[in-house]
Amino acid sequence: MGQLTDKVAVVTGAGRGIGRAIALELGKRGAAVVVNYNASAEAANGVVADIVAQGGKAVAVKADVSVMAEAEALIKAAVDQFGKIDILVNNAGTTRDNLIMLMSESEWDTVLDTNLKSVWNCSKAASKAMMRKKYGRIINITSISGIAGQGGQTNYSASKAGIIGFTKALAREIGPRSITVNAVAPGLVHTDMTANLPEDMAEQSGKSIPLGRWGTPEEIGQAVAFLASDDAAYITGHVLSVDGGLIMG
């Protein structure tokens, strides 16, 4: 298991769901974790408390990472608190599902800004600090919807596909400075966002997964932790699907 002792990680949207699991896993492996949130301070402070309880270091920082100035302030807070940034996990995301004929411009803009622009904002801010040290790990959370598309999610699928293109372009750009840039594409995962699905729909969708079940946030966290570790030092520009085989190829 790749250890992250003495590393400093920033995880955006880390108050709940997949982001929470990522923050906990990085903390468990020894990283000091900046738990970013935009809505619930209580949830973020709960994640911090859990990391500290398992012997780690963590701090919660509020920032709307779709806004460049706030993304820059988040990265600065990490450096001010812990002296550096080694790992950036761009996880913050939202959905505003609708058919294209019914989708509003604000539903499009909100999803693209939250899911895609935030990745550019945080990566731009963090890469400056990483390039000075000639070390860094950037892991972007995309989705199988960004690979295969999903009806009723033109905004979400476009944002997640954009993350894939961004990941590969940035990997080429800053690879010479020993900074890796990869993406993780979760499949169907049990989170708050999917908890309200009807049981029969959830069961039916599970049948299309070769492994026969939905994933857990913890399994996404473990994949991210691997890419953040030195065990993955020669992997960059890669999209790792963690989906039970749902999307192959």
Side-chain angles (χ1 to χ4, degrees):
M1 183 171 75
Q3 292 302 310
L4 302 172
T5 307
D6 297 327
K7 302 300 185 189
V8 176
V10 174
V11 183
T12 68
R16 62 191 179 94
I18 288 173
R20 177 182 184 276
I22 292 169
L24 290 174
E25 185 65 29
L26 298 183
K28 184 168 75 175
R29 298 192 189 206
V33 184
V34 176
V35 177
N36 163 249
Y37 70 98
N38 188 34
S40 175
E42 182 180 1
N45 287 327
V47 178
V48 169
D50 288 344
I51 292 171
V52 171
Q54 62 187 19
K57 297 178 183 177
V59 62
V61 177
K62 178 175 170 52
D64 178 353
V65 289
S66 70
V67 178
M68 175 58 89
E70 295 197 33
E72 289 175 334
L74 170 64
I75 301 305
K76 184 177 185 301
V79 175
D80 289 348
Q81 181 77 26
F82 296 115
K84 59 177 180 169
I85 175 172
D86 300 298
I87 301 159
L88 169 65
V89 183
N90 286 306
N91 167 76
T94 192
T95 57
R96 296 289 189 279
D97 295 354
N98 220 334
L99 299 174
I100 193 168
M101 299 305 294
L102 301 174
M103 186 178 291
S104 67
E105 185 176 1
S106 67
E107 286 173 332
W108 172 270
D109 288 345
T110 296
V111 171
L112 267 291
D113 285 350
T114 303
N115 295 6
L116 181 56
K117 188 183 177 190
S118 65
V119 175
W120 186 81
N121 288 344
C122 292
S123 298
K124 182 178 174 67
S127 62
K128 292 177 185 176
M130 291 177 176
M131 287 173 75
R132 283 194 293 270
K133 291 180 63 64
K134 294 189 176 181
Y135 179 89
R137 301 281 185 267
I138 298 176
I139 301 107
N140 303 317
I141 306 303
T142 179
S143 168
I144 58 169
S145 295
I147 299 171
Q150 180 65 41
Q153 288 191 325
T154 52
N155 50 4
Y156 185 79
S157 295
S159 71
K160 293 300 187 178
I163 288 172
I164 292 172
F166 174 90
T167 296
K168 294 182 177 185
L170 187 60
R172 292 181 184 277
E173 207 170 296
I174 61 179
R177 294 297 185 97
S178 299
I179 303 168
T180 66
V181 189
N182 293 290
V184 170
L188 297 171
V189 177
H190 289 294
T191 66
D192 292 346
M193 290 175 67
T194 59
N196 294 325
L197 276 179
E199 189 174 334
D200 59 335
M201 187 181 295
E203 184 179 339
Q204 187 62 36
S205 60
K207 291 178 180 176
S208 61
I209 302 171
L211 287 184
R213 64 173 179 86
W214 284 39
T216 67
E218 290 73 23
E219 288 171 318
I220 307 303
Q222 289 158 5
V224 170
F226 163 67
L227 290 173
S229 75
D230 288 339
D231 289 346
Y234 201 55
I235 300 172
T236 197
H238 184 71
V239 181
L240 176 60
S241 294
V242 185
D243 62 1
L246 183 57
I247 297 293
M248 295 195 187

